[in-house]
Amino acid sequence: MTTPLASDTSLAQIGVVGMAVMGSNLARNFASKGHTVAIYNRSPEKTRAVVAEFGHEGSFIPAETIEEFVASLERPRKAIIMVQAGAATDAVIAQLVEAMDEGDIIIDGGNALFTDTIRREREVAATGRHFVGAGISGGEEGALRGPSIMPGGPAESWETLGPLLEDISAKVDGTPCVTHIGPDGAGHFVKMVHNGIEYADMQVIGEAYHLLRYAAGLEPAEIADIFTEWNKGDLDSYLIEITAEVLRQVDARTGKPFIDIIVDAAGQKGTGRWTVKEALDLGVPVTGIGEAVFARALSSALAQREAAQSANLPAGDVTTLEALGVSREEFVEDVRRALYASKLVAYAQGFDEINAGSQEYNWGIKPGDLARIWRGGCIIRAQFLNRITEAYERDPELASLLLDPYFKGELEKGLVDAWRRIVVTATRLGLPVPVFASSLSYYDSLRSKRLPAALIQGQRDFFGAHTYRRVDMEGTFHTAWSGDREELSY
């Protein structure tokens, strides 16, 4: 156990472990809001460097050991861990549990797998300490200027942490972009799905760019102007904004468009895959998110792609916009509308997974709260999150975002027709649009009176006696396919 310093006025209100960019920016954010911040890094040189470079921004208490770090915190002690997910996080948690007292709070602000957070919360709670898994979105800039924060853990911890986190969070119309999400792993689950939506959003924006570049024949700077214009309307969002910035950039070394000197192989750190894996376990179709994850994987299969190109795989009867009689102006507008519709599906599917996870783990998550705190600070912040907030205010039990009167009305304004034209046209041109296409198929599946699942159930019953249900009576049935084909009820 540690002994507090002589005077409480010299103690820090919050501490941050891990002085890489995210951790140091978060510490600077706290300090800029008038809080005294204890900082610690396994390598003392990084801690000293933060104080040397940013010490003028506020009050920091540097520590060279975990014991010194914990001793510099006021009670109940509050320490945010910003180190690499996995074993490194577990190691720091163990150190803090040993050094802290009962009632102290350990917060993991990294991108942890929510099942790890559930385990850690249970283990730490057994020691009398509190553990909070907090999703933090906004990247390096958000950590410094104001992120969207998604803390889980005990409600008692939120009472202590809430005012601190509200201070450093992004604000929209004066409302902090942070709220208590729910018990144990709820915060990190929501952050995971947030990142899954982000994958789909980024991919569908990429598909829109690809169509404008290689179907409409526009140059990156021209497309940047289009995205800038789109950012003034329904598509107003952080990702649309930065897309224009990336496309407008010129490589200083070659003079070429920056986009053309980047290897077209997208990386990923795992949260998108986690989102899809958990959706499979929950039985929730997040097709747009799944296709976005697979698209990144395929983009990185460079050797396989090169082999396919060398083999001259047949393209079939591909054509051009001109041959199809489609004007560039009409095509650009159709891309905009299809992009908007596909983004709606990505968010709808993400909220479906959050609702399913909340039910499975008894978290009591309120989806309207998530839309509200995602309006600022986070990567997927967008204008229509205001509309999503309103949708859940109208109906907290909304079966799908697509069924909300506002979004249904948006789809009725020609979005669906444009969406269909884009998917068909992209196919005719031989250009891949996995998220556009899968999102449209999801939409059509949702609205279809009958699906081919009836045939699948018949097949399953034929080869495995898996049974089926009938449309005209209650009960479960099996047909004796290898015998007299008598129908048996169960």
Side-chain angles (χ1 to χ4, degrees), residues 120-190:
R120 288 164 178 158
E121 198 275 336
R122 183 174 59 246
E123 293 171 352
V124 172
T127 73
R129 286 81 172 154
H130 293 201
F131 184 80
V132 171
I136 300 177
S137 178
E140 299 172 7
E141 188 68 15
L144 181 61
R145 307 296 179 194
S148 175
I149 310 174
M150 297 150 261
E156 182 182 348
S157 298
W158 169 246
E159 292 177 9
T160 302
L161 281 174
L164 285 164
L165 298 181
E166 287 176 351
D167 269 359
I168 67 160
S169 72
K171 310 293 189 299
V172 175
D173 299 328
T175 302
C177 292
V178 57
T179 192
H180 182 234
I181 303 299
D184 53 69
H188 275 143
F189 182 92
V190 164

Side-chain angles (χ1 to χ4, degrees), residues 157-405:
S157 298
W158 169 246
E159 292 177 9
T160 302
L161 281 174
L164 285 164
L165 298 181
E166 287 176 351
D167 269 359
I168 67 160
S169 72
K171 310 293 189 299
V172 175
D173 299 328
T175 302
C177 292
V178 57
T179 192
H180 182 234
I181 303 299
D184 53 69
H188 275 143
F189 182 92
V190 164
K191 176 56 164 57
M192 174 190 76
V193 178
H194 163 285
N195 285 21
I197 296 170
E198 179 184 308
Y199 272 55
D201 206 344
M202 293 173 71
Q203 174 64 28
V204 80
I205 290 171
E207 291 175 19
Y209 153 75
H210 204 68
L211 289 171
L212 297 178
R213 182 80 187 272
Y214 298 104
L218 297 168
E219 290 301 315
E222 295 175 291
I223 302 173
D225 290 340
I226 290 171
F227 274 92
T228 297
E229 188 62 30
W230 287 355
N231 201 47
K232 298 175 183 176
D234 294 331
L235 290 173
D236 178 9
S237 67
Y238 174 71
L239 285 172
I240 293 290
E241 176 188 339
I242 67 170
T243 296
E245 294 296 321
V246 171
L247 291 175
R248 195 169 281 117
Q249 180 75 3
V250 175
D251 179 50
R253 185 173 301 173
T254 63
K256 296 179 179 179
F258 175 70
I259 190 71
D260 289 344
I261 58 94
I262 303 175
V263 175
D264 59 337
Q268 52 184 307
K269 291 187 176 180
T271 47
R273 290 197 300 270
W274 294 348
T275 302
V276 176
K277 288 178 180 179
E278 183 60 22
L280 290 171
D281 288 339
L282 293 170
V284 179
V286 292
T287 55
I289 297 170
E291 287 294 346
V293 172
F294 293 138
R296 289 198 190 189
L298 181 55
S299 75
S300 297
L302 294 175
Q304 189 178 37
R305 290 172 56 200
E306 185 178 348
Q309 292 158 38
S310 299
N312 290 320
L313 287 176
D317 183 19
V318 296
T319 185
T320 64
L321 282 185
E322 292 76 10
L324 292 173
V326 178
S327 74
R328 180 181 287 179
E329 292 73 20
E330 292 172 332
F331 184 72
V332 169
E333 176 58 15
D334 276 356
V335 171
R336 185 192 68 81
R337 293 184 178 194
L339 173 56
Y340 183 38
S342 298
K343 282 164 69 76
L344 290 180
V345 168
Y347 280 80
Q349 291 179 349
F351 275 97
D352 287 347
E353 180 168 357
I354 289 170
N355 287 330
S358 181
Q359 292 175 22
E360 176 71 17
Y361 297 101
N362 298 311
W363 284 328
I365 296 173
K366 298 176 181 178
D369 287 349
L370 305 185
R372 175 176 54 79
I373 68 171
W374 286 350
R375 293 181 302 162
C378 71
I379 302 301
I380 64 171
R381 58 186 183 266
Q383 183 187 52
F384 67 56
L385 280 163
N386 288 309
R387 299 296 190 179
I388 295 177
T389 303
E390 294 166 0
Y392 283 112
E393 286 175 351
R394 280 190 290 271
D395 183 2
E397 305 301 321
L398 188 62
S400 169
L401 271 178
L402 301 176
L403 302 179
D404 174 73

